């Protein structure tokens, strides 16, 4: 792998050299309006010299559901894409935490028009990989604000699926937050209740209970969220999925984001109200540790969540 990019990416059924994977400029634009994607993390386990892809099956199932939702042809199965991703990670000799990015878009131009067809639209798929060091256990905290932008909703642009276009809403909110001196926005839904972050779900702790909005509150059906709910229950932490008021965040004991890229990210203030005592809280810390051990394949109780890719052994230095 060169310093700036991996050797290969996968495109429509073939592993191809990075430099050779180009599209004509006329394909840009409408083709990406219904484009859908996945963000998948794979974690390096030093002791086992192995790379583990976290919840690959769940991510690929969501990838296919997003394709269905956007009326795209689904030419590859979960099993085929699983093999493709493992092969790509091996070919790129990934021996560090690595982000995997499958993207499906409408090839051949005219994507917007073709969406109205009754036939599923012809779909192109690319899969790329890039190094993405985990920030778990690094004590990276964020200061948040409530955004003046409303989260997109199911009857407007369904946040349930990972449509690329959904992220314009996230981008507007993130830009506003950073211009106002915050690290991140938290978006409310059309009902004025807490939805999620720009690229992550949200959880809070009140009186020992872990509380998170339900999947009909204008959120992505997050795989990390589902995993943390399971981990929390295994740790005997009570979990409740319910509507959250904005002001509950101001008086919560703990608040954190969760997601593939966010992993577990503590929020230590909301609209300048310190969360708890303004530091990462104890339940967040327990969940972060449990998540870390699960994703890296260290806690074998969650072995079913991780796919070993069969990483090539390091070539010994002369
Ligand atoms: C808007 C949004 N919400 C939530 C999440 C978390 O979803 P997941 O845990 O499946 O990555 C993401 C992606 O990470 C996201 O982009």
């Amino acid at each position: 792998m060169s310093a700036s990019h991996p050797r290969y990416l996968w495109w429509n059924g073939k592993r191809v050299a990075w430099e050779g994977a180009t599209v004509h400029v006329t394909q840009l634009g409408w083709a990406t309006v219904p484009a859908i994607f996945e963000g998948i993390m794979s974690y390096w386990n030093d002791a086992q010299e192995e790379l583990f892809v976290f919840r690959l099956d769940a991510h690929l199932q969501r990838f296919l559901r997003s394709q269905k939702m956007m009326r795209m042809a689904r030419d590859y199965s979960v099993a085929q894409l699983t093999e493709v991703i493992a092969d790509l990670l091996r070919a790129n000799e990934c021996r560090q935490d690595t982000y995997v990015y499958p993207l499906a878009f409408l090839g051949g131009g005219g994507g917007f028009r073709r969406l109205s067809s009754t036939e599923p639209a012809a779909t192109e798929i690319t899969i790329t990989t890039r190094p993405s060091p985990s920030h778990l256990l690094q004590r990276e905290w964020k200061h948040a604000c409530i955004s003046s932008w409303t989260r997109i909703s199911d009857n407007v642009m369904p946040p349930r699926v990972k449509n690329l276009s959904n992220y314009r809403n996230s981008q507007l909110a993130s830009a506003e937050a950073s211009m106002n001196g915050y690290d991140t926005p938290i978006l409310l839904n059309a009902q004025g209740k807490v939805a999620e972050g720009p690229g992550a779900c949200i959880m809070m702790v009140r009186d020992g209970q872990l509380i998170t909005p339900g999947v009909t509150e204008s959120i992505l059906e997050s795989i990390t969220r589902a995993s943390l709910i399971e981990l929390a229950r295994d740790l005997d932490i009570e979990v409740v999925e319910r509507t959250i008021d904005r002001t509950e965040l101001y008086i919560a004991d703990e608040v954190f984001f969760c997601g593939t890229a966010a992993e577990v990210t503590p929020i230590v203030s909301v609209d300048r109200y310190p969360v708890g005592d303004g530091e990462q809280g104890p339940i967040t810390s327990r969940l972060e540790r449990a998540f870390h051990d699960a994703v890296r394949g260290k806690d074998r109780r969650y072995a079913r969540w991780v796919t070993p890719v069969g990483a090539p052994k390091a070539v010994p230095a002369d």
Side-chain angles (χ1 to χ4, degrees), residues 59 62 151 162 167 196 198-201 220 222-224 258-260:
H59 278 282
R62 189 172 64 188
R151 188 72 184 133
K162 272 183 97 73
Y167 289 82
E196 61 181 348
C201 282
L220 179 70
S222 155
I223 291 156
T224 316
C258 64
T260 295

Side-chain angles (χ1 to χ4, degrees), residues 193-304:
K193 304 298 181 185
V194 173
E196 61 181 348
C201 282
I202 192 165
M203 296 191 167
M204 73 169 180
V205 177
R206 290 193 66 188
D207 299 327
Q209 232 180 26
L210 184 68
I211 306 167
T212 190
V215 292
T216 54
E217 305 257 13
S218 298
I219 67 168
L220 179 70
E221 290 187 349
S222 155
I223 291 156
T224 316
R225 172 186 173 281
S227 308
L228 286 171
I229 289 175
E230 206 171 318
L231 286 171
R233 290 192 170 131
D234 290 349
L235 290 168
D236 286 328
I237 298 165
E238 190 188 348
V239 183
V240 181
E241 295 178 63
R242 68 154 172 85
T243 298
I244 296 180
D245 278 340
R246 160 194 196 148
T247 54
E248 284 187 280
L249 298 180
Y250 298 161
I251 57 170
D253 303 317
E254 303 179 36
V255 177
F256 61 90
F257 276 160
C258 64
T260 295
E263 301 179 307
V264 174
T265 301
I267 306 283
V268 292
S269 75
V270 181
D271 287 343
R272 306 287 180 218
Y273 287 94
V275 174
D277 53 14
E279 298 211 342
Q280 177 167 351
I283 290 186
T284 310
S285 297
R286 284 174 72 198
L287 285 170
E288 184 183 19
R289 165 58 69 181
F291 186 70
H292 170 271
D293 292 351
V295 298
R296 263 188 215 290
K298 292 186 173 188
D299 187 338
R300 300 312 292 162
R301 284 173 301 174
Y302 302 98
R304 67 188 186 284

